[in-house]
C-alpha cells in the first residue's frame, strides 16, 4: 500500500499522539556509530534527498480535523525544508562516547514539532577514534520498530558503493492541504461507513461460519486475558513515578553469539535470554536501592509485531502488546531463565496478543476523544512497569555513503509514569542495548548498564558449566575494526 496524501492515521498511531505530553515524548530512534571520516553535511543531505521519494510520509505532516470529527490525516507539507530535518553538529574534543550519549539524550529530550514532518536526523562529527555518528529521531505515530528496520534500507546500502536509486520523471510537488470542511466531511464519511464495514464483515463471517466461530472464540478468550491482566496490576516500583521532560541515555555492547550460547545450553529463545538478563540486572539494581525483591515480579510491556509479510515496507504501527514477566524474586540465574521461558511460552500459546489486536480493532471504530482515553489505558502503570523491546536487525554490515555502520543503539520512549525503557537491537553479530531513563528518577542508570554485563556473565557461566566448555566471560567486541571503547556511560540532558 502506498503512503498517500490524505491518509488517515490508524487507531494505534493516533493513540501514540494522544499519549504524548510535555514530559512524555512519543518518538523513538537510534544512535548509529560509523567508521570515519564523516561525510560533508551537503553530501549527506543530498543522499537523503535522493531517496525521500521512497518514503513519501517523510515529507508529510499532520492535519487535524476540526472538532475532533476524525483521526488526523497525513498531508504533504508545502513548506518542507530538508535542511530543517537533517542537522549538522560536532562534539568538542576529545569526542568521547560519553559526550555523544549526552548529546543524544538532549536531542531525545525535545519533542518533535507537530507542524512539520515528524522526524529529525543529526550528523555528528568529531567522535573519537576517527568515527562519526548519526542520531535519528522519529515519532512513533510514523514508524514502529519492525517497519523501522525496513525503513533503514532507504538510506543504507548493503555494500560500500551506494546503490543507484531510480527516480520518477517529475520532481516532487506538494499537493494542497484539505480544508477544514473537507476534513470534517472525511470524518463524517468514515463514521457513516462503519456500520457498512461491520455489515460486510458480518456477511463474510456468515459465508464461513466455522472460521468465524473459531476466530470469535479466540478473540473473546484473548480479550478476557487482557482484562484479567488489567485486574492484576503491576507492582509499585521506583520505575513508576512522575517523570520530567529530560532524559539520560546509557548503552551497552554485547555479542549476539553470547545470547545464542545461553539459548542453546538451556533450550530457550534469544528473547527469553534477553528478558532473563534484564530481570537479573533489575533485581540487583533494585536491591542496591534498598528495595526488597522477595516475591516481586515486574511486568514488561513487550511489543509484538502483527505486521503481515506483505506489509513489511509500509510505515505506521502494526503492533500488539504482551505483558511479559520479569521474575526479580528468583536469585538463581538459570531458574530465572526457566521461569521466563515457561511464562513466555504460555503467553505465545495464550490469546493475549489476539485480545490486544482485537482491542486495537475496536479502537479504530472510536471517536478521537474515546480513542485518547483508551490509549492512556494501554500505557497505564497498572499494566506494566517498563517497556522492553527487542528488535532483530540485519546480520550483515550496512553502509552510508561508503562508511560502515559499526554500532546501532536503539532509543525507545517513556510513557507517562514510566522512568525506564530498555531497547535491544541485534545487528551484524552484535546485541546492542539502549537504556533510556528519566533524568531525575534514574540518576544511577549507568549502574544498571553495568549490571546487565553481570547478569549475562552469570548465565554464560551456567551455560559453560552445563555444556562443559568452561567459558564464563562476556565476549568483547573483537570483530574487525569494531572498537570496544567504554561499554557504557551516563549522559545528561
Amino acid at each position: 500500500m502506498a503512503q498517500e496524501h490524505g491518509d488517515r492515521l490508524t487507531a494505534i498511531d493516533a493513540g501514540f499522539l494522544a499519549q504524548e505530553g510535555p514530559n512524555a515524548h512519543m518518538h523513538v530512534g537510534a544512535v548509529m556509530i560509523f567508521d570515519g571520516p564523516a561525510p560533508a553535511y551537503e553530501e549527506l543531505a543530498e543522499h537523503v534527498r535522493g531517496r525521500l521519494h521512497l518514503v513519501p510520509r517523510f515529507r508529510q505532516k499532520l492535519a487535524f480535523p476540526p472538532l475532533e470529527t476524525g483521526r488526523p490525516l497525513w498531508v504533504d507539507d508545502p513548506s518542507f525544508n530538508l535542511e530543517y530535518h537533517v542537522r549538522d553538529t560536532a562534539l568538542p574534543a576529545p569526542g568521547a562516547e560519553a559526550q555523544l550519549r549526552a548529546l543524544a539524550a538532549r536531542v531525545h529530550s525535545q519533542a518533535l514539532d507537530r507542524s512539520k514532518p515528524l522526524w529529525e536526523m543529526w550528523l555528528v562529527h568529531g567522535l573519537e577514534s576517527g568515527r562519526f555518528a548519526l542520531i535519528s529521531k522519529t515519532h512513533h505515530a510514523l514508524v514502529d520498530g519492525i517497519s523501522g528496520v525496513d525503513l533503514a534500507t532507504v538510506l543504507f546500502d548493503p555494500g560500500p558503493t551506494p546503490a543507484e536509486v531510480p527516480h520518477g520523471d517529475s520532481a516532487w510537488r506538494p499537493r494542497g492541504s484539505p480544508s477544514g470542511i473537507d476534513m470534517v466531511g472525511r470524518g463524517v464519511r468514515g463514521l457513516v461507513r462503519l456500520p457498512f464495514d461491520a455489515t460486510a464483515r458480518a456477511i463474510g463471517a456468515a459465508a464461513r461460519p466455522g472460521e468465524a466461530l473459531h476466530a470469535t472464540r479466540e478473540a473473546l478468550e484473548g480479550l478476557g486475558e487482557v482484562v484479567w491482566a488489567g485486574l492484576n496490576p503491576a507492582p509499585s516500583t521506583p520505575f513508576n513515578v512522575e517523570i520530567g521532560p529530560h532524559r539520560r541515555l546509557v548503552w551497552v555492547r554485547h555479542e549476539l553469539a553470547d545470547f545464542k550460547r545461553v539459548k542453546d545450553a538451556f533450550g530457550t529463545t534469544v528473547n527469553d535470554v534477553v528478558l532473563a538478563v534484564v530481570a537479573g540486572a533489575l533485581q540487583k539494581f533494585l536491591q542496591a536501592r534498598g528495595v526488597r525483591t522477595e516475591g516481586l515480579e515486574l511486568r514488561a510491556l513487550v511489543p509484538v509485531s502483527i505486521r503481515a509479510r506483505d506489509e513489511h515496507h509500509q510505515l505506521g504501527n502494526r503492533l500488539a502488546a504482551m505483558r511479559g514477566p520479569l521474575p526479580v524474586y528468583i536469585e538463581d540465574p538459570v531458574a530465572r531463565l526457566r521461569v521466563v521461558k515457561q511464562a513466555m511460552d504460555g503467553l505465545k500459546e495464550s490469546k493475549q496478543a489476539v485480545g490486544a489486536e482485537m482491542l486495537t480493532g475496536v479502537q479504530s471504530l472510536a471517536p478521537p476523544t474515546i480513542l485518547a482515553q483508551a490509549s492512556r489505558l494501554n500505557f497505564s502503570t497498572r499494566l506494566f512497569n517498563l517497556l522492553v523491546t527487542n528488535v532483530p536487525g540485519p546480520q550483515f554490515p550496512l553502509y552510508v555513503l561508503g562508511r560502515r555502520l559499526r554500532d546501532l543503539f536503539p532509543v525507545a520512549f517513556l510513557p507517562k509514569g514510566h522512568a525506564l525503557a530498555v531497547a535491544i537491537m541485534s545487528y551484524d553479530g552484535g546485541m546492542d542495548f539502549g537504556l533510556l531513563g528519566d533524568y531525575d528518577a534514574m540518576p544511577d542508570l549507568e549502574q544498571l548498564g553495568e549490571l546487565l554485563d553481570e547478569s549475562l556473565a552469570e548465565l554464560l557461566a551456567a551455560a559453560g558449566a552445563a555444556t562443559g566448555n568452561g567459558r564464563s566471560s562476556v565476549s568483547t567486541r573483537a570483530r574487525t575494526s569494531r572498537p570496544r571503547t567504554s561499554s557504557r556511560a551516563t549522559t545528561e540532558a
Side-chain angles (χ1 to χ4, degrees):
M1 234 173 82
Q3 301 159 29
E4 297 291 346
H5 170 76
D7 284 347
R8 190 174 298 282
L9 269 70
T10 67
I12 299 178
D13 296 339
F16 281 115
L17 287 178
Q19 272 292 313
E20 194 159 45
N23 296 335
H25 317 306
M26 288 292 155
H27 52 251
V28 294
V31 180
M32 297 162 278
I33 296 178
F34 295 81
D35 292 339
Y41 171 78
E42 293 77 12
E43 185 182 10
L44 177 65
E46 284 306 307
H47 182 65
V48 175
R49 197 187 315 275
R51 302 192 179 194
L52 269 180
H53 64 285
L54 301 176
V55 278
R57 194 73 83 228
F58 274 43
R59 287 190 285 213
Q60 294 174 347
K61 64 178 184 177
L62 296 170
F64 294 89
L67 304 177
E68 296 191 338
T69 50
R71 297 192 299 274
L73 309 176
W74 293 111
V75 299
D76 291 347
D77 180 8
S79 303
F80 179 78
N81 185 341
L82 182 65
E83 284 69 25
Y84 172 84
H85 296 275
V86 179
R87 306 183 179 189
D88 196 23
T89 190
L91 299 174
E97 285 194 11
Q99 294 169 287
L100 176 61
R101 281 183 279 262
L103 173 62
R106 286 195 294 271
V107 167
H108 279 273
S109 296
Q110 305 298 318
L112 288 160
D113 184 348
R114 290 197 183 184
S115 69
K116 301 181 183 298
L118 297 176
W119 66 279
E120 295 173 6
M121 178 176 290
W122 295 67
L123 171 61
V124 185
H125 303 260
L127 185 60
E128 62 187 353
S129 303
R131 298 172 295 162
F132 73 97
L134 291 176
I135 300 172
S136 70
K137 177 177 165 184
T138 307
H139 201 285
H140 214 317
L142 175 62
V143 62
D144 68 47
I146 298 297
S147 66
V149 176
D150 295 328
L151 181 63
T153 61
V154 173
L155 295 182
F156 286 86
D157 292 296
T161 303
E164 291 292 331
V165 177
H167 291 261
D169 295 331
S170 58
W172 178 72
R173 295 279 187 274
R175 285 152 290 187
S177 297
S179 66
I181 294 176
D182 183 42
M183 284 192 284
V184 169
R186 292 185 190 206
V188 171
R189 286 195 297 273
L191 291 173
V192 169
R193 276 201 307 268
L194 292 179
F196 295 101
D197 292 342
T199 301
R201 288 194 292 269
I203 292 173
R208 301 182 301 276
E211 293 179 20
L213 183 61
H214 176 72
T216 301
R217 186 186 304 116
E218 279 206 334
L220 291 176
E221 289 175 5
L223 187 59
E225 293 186 18
V226 172
V227 171
W228 176 252
L231 294 175
N232 292 270
S236 176
T237 75
F239 309 128
N240 304 117
V241 295
E242 288 300 315
I243 62 173
H246 305 296
R247 302 290 179 258
R248 295 178 188 266
L249 180 62
V250 167
W251 58 63
V252 182
R253 293 178 172 92
H254 286 301
E255 293 291 337
L256 179 59
D258 284 341
F259 288 82
K260 289 184 175 180
R261 284 183 56 228
V262 176
K263 168 189 78 78
D264 293 340
F266 299 109
T268 68
T269 67
V270 168
N271 197 55
D272 294 337
V273 180
V274 166
L275 290 175
V277 167
V278 171
L282 290 174
Q283 178 197 69
K284 295 176 176 62
F285 184 80
L286 290 170
Q287 290 172 348
R289 281 197 172 193
V291 177
R292 296 180 64 90
T293 58
E294 297 90 343
L296 181 63
E297 181 174 276
L298 306 187
R299 291 187 185 174
L301 186 71
V302 183
V304 177
S305 175
I306 53 175
R307 188 179 300 277
R309 286 185 178 273
D310 59 356
E311 297 176 314
H312 269 238
H313 290 280
Q314 297 177 24
L315 299 184
N317 292 275
R318 291 281 290 140
L319 295 172
M322 295 200 299
R323 279 159 283 281
L326 297 173
V328 298
Y329 63 92
I330 301 176
E331 292 288 340
D332 180 74
V334 178
R336 190 185 307 125
L337 174 60
R338 296 197 188 284
V339 167
V340 168
K341 171 182 166 47
Q342 182 179 17
M344 293 306 293
D345 285 348
L347 285 176
K348 292 168 190 172
E349 293 169 3
S350 77
K351 306 299 188 297
Q352 193 182 111
V354 176
E357 186 176 5
M358 179 182 176
L359 285 177
T360 298
V362 171
Q363 287 178 14
S364 69
L365 309 180
T369 49
I370 298 176
L371 175 63
Q373 295 301 321
S375 68
R376 292 186 182 99
L377 174 65
N378 288 345
F379 286 112
S380 168
T381 52
R382 271 185 71 84
L383 298 179
F384 69 102
N385 299 108
L386 71 156
L387 177 75
V388 181
T389 176
N390 180 18
V391 178
Q395 294 307 306
F396 52 85
L398 296 173
Y399 298 80
V400 166
L401 294 169
R403 283 81 166 174
R404 183 171 176 171
L405 174 66
R406 291 296 179 177
D407 284 297
L408 201 167
F409 299 105
V411 182
F413 63 94
L414 299 182
K416 182 180 178 181
H418 294 82
L420 175 66
V422 180
I424 308 101
M425 188 162 186
S426 59
Y427 160 68
D428 193 22
M431 197 77 164
D432 289 336
F433 283 66
L435 310 181
L436 184 70
D438 176 72
Y439 185 81
D440 294 315
M442 297 295 295
D444 43 2
L445 188 61
E446 181 181 1
Q447 182 185 13
L448 182 58
E450 295 168 352
L451 293 173
L452 285 169
D453 280 349
E454 292 185 21
S455 183
L456 177 59
E458 289 178 344
L459 283 170
L460 283 169
T467 59
N469 68 15
R471 181 180 164 192
S472 62
S473 60
V474 177
S475 298
T476 58
R477 287 278 174 90
R479 286 179 290 157
T480 304
S481 301
R482 186 150 193 163
R484 173 79 173 180
T485 56
S486 172
S487 291
R488 66 204 69 81
T490 191
T491 62
E492 301 178 0

